[in-house]
Amino acid sequence: MFTLLIATRNRHKVGEIQSILGDLHRYMTLADFPGAPEVVEDRNTFAGNAVKKAQELSRWLAAGQDRPEGRLLVLADDSGLEVDALNGAPGVYSARYAALESGGEGNSPDSENNARLLRELADIPTEHRTARFRCVIAAADAVDLEAETPTFDGACEGRIEFEPAGEGGFGYDPLFVPDGFEQSFAELGEETKNRLSHRARALEKLKPWLEARLG
Ligand code: IMP
């Protein structure tokens, strides 16, 4: 059995990750480690940020007193939205898209990020509003710090609507309609999203890698 430290405080992501990886593993999250350092996501690729976060946290765990016993991996994901008409923006800046414009610090509320995205796309017609969510998950070994840190990626293609719809999910979900559907991720509900999403697709690659190592 692995203990998997899911390096996020986003409860939507924790639920999605656990439901896909199943009950072969023991799960912990950053909520179990209140003293964990805040890792600055300053790389210009999703993979760069995911690897940085997974490795910094595994080094922190290995140096401390309360590292759980046994085989321990830190799973860190970095994800975001790429909009073709904006040359791939907001990309790695998805969480702080509105703040980048206003000069504010840190991440922005989802409603402000969505409002900026709609403003940027105001003159773009439906056929050019293509976009995708992308996710990269890095798995760092918190016992053998010399082990390689593999990455697993996934994407979900779709388009950006003209106004938000739906109450579910988080982030850009109310604006994103996945290919083959007419409703946003926020309307489609967790079960459907968890089948289609960028994170689901990355997790479907991570799952056999983990299981092959369970022996
Ligand atoms: P991070 O991976 O937590 O850094 O996420 C970056 C940002 O991308 C989030 O704050 C959201 O704005 C956006 N994002 C990532 N995944 C999703 C998703 O599944 N739905 C909606 N927005 C997402």
Side-chain angles (χ1 to χ4, degrees), residues 20-82:
I20 292 172
L21 294 183
D23 52 15
L24 290 173
H25 315 287
R26 173 175 172 236
Y27 296 96
M28 303 186 85
T29 74
L30 287 182
D32 298 304
F33 297 94
E38 197 68 49
V39 178
V40 181
E41 296 182 23
D42 56 1
R43 301 290 152 89
N44 57 11
T45 61
F46 295 120
N49 281 327
V51 167
K52 180 180 181 199
K53 199 163 23 167
Q55 290 183 340
E56 275 191 27
L57 285 165
S58 55
R59 282 196 291 269
W60 175 81
L61 273 177
Q65 304 299 318
D66 37 339
R67 182 171 72 185
E69 294 284 303
R71 301 164 81 185
L72 177 64
L73 292 175
V74 177
L75 300 183
D77 92 308
D78 193 34
S79 51
L81 180 70
E82 293 176 351

Side-chain angles (χ1 to χ4, degrees), residues 17-18 48-49 63 71 78 94 99 119-120 131 141 146 149 157 166 174 184-185 205 213:
I17 292 171
Q18 287 190 8
N49 281 327
R71 301 164 81 185
D78 193 34
S94 293
R119 271 201 312 281
E120 302 283 349
D141 196 310
E146 300 301 316
T149 301
E157 300 285 335
S184 76
F185 259 168
K205 296 180 186 167
R213 275 150 192 82

